[in-house]
Amino acid sequence: TIKAAAFPGGFVSDGYKVTVPAVHNSPGKNGKELVNPAPCVITGGALSTSTNKASMVLTNNSSSTVTINKITITFPSGNGKLKKISQGPAVIFNSAAGVSSPATVSSFSGTPNDRSIAATSSKTIMFEFVNNALATGYTIDIDFGTAGIWRLTA
């Protein structure tokens, strides 16, 4: 029972009516939609570290070339700042001052081809830091647009 005092503007003796517009019946969410809305066609190897570099091999399992649109990386503070990202022989990001963690890179050096992986091919992506790269403490999301977002947590 709702008492008249709950209605500071006055109580209407013939009652109140609540109308609910069309109901949106959204399917349940399991969390995967936030990272990878479509199955990602990229697979990746384990993260390896050597001196001030961390790297992994990325494989394009599709029949089309894919291109990196954005990289979001969280890395250990002990690595210092991120100075450079290379894919294969091409430098795709370079910052003399470096960037702190977490970092999002969406402005790249070189050409889109430098950030691409041909169909059924693999390339190594390498992150270079100011200090020696620690072995753990990374979350890396690489956005390939409609091909999906590949995530590494190490």
Side-chain angles (χ1 to χ4, degrees):
T1 303
I2 299 174
K3 298 189 186 258
F7 301 96
F11 185 76
V12 178
S13 61
D14 60 342
Y16 290 89
K17 180 173 135 183
V18 175
T19 304
V20 179
V23 176
H24 174 72
N25 188 12
S26 179
K29 305 292 186 255
N30 63 14
K32 289 173 47 178
E33 298 85 357
L34 300 174
V35 174
N36 192 4
C40 188
V41 300
I42 303 299
T43 54
L47 182 75
S48 63
T49 57
S50 177
T51 63
N52 65 333
K53 298 173 179 71
S55 64
M56 76 221 57
V57 175
L58 298 177
T59 301
N60 176 3
N61 298 300
S62 76
S63 58
S64 302
T65 297
V66 297
T67 303
I68 296 172
N69 292 329
K70 180 170 69 173
I71 299 172
T72 304
I73 178 172
T74 302
F75 52 89
S77 60
N79 288 10
K81 293 184 176 184
L82 173 66
K83 296 190 325 183
K84 187 186 297 184
I85 303 172
S86 303
Q87 182 171 273
V91 174
I92 61 172
F93 171 78
N94 195 7
S95 171
V99 294
S100 299
S101 178
T104 298
V105 177
S106 57
S107 293
F108 296 95
S109 53
T111 67
N113 190 54
D114 294 334
R115 303 187 319 269
S116 296
I117 304 173
T120 66
S121 296
S122 298
K123 280 190 178 176
T124 298
I125 189 163
M126 183 178 304
F127 300 88
E128 185 176 323
F129 302 95
V130 171
N131 301 331
N132 284 343
L134 299 174
T136 61
Y138 300 85
T139 300
I140 304 170
D141 288 337
I142 303 178
D143 184 340
F144 289 92
T146 58
I149 298 172
W150 181 81
R151 171 172 273 185
L152 169 91
T153 303

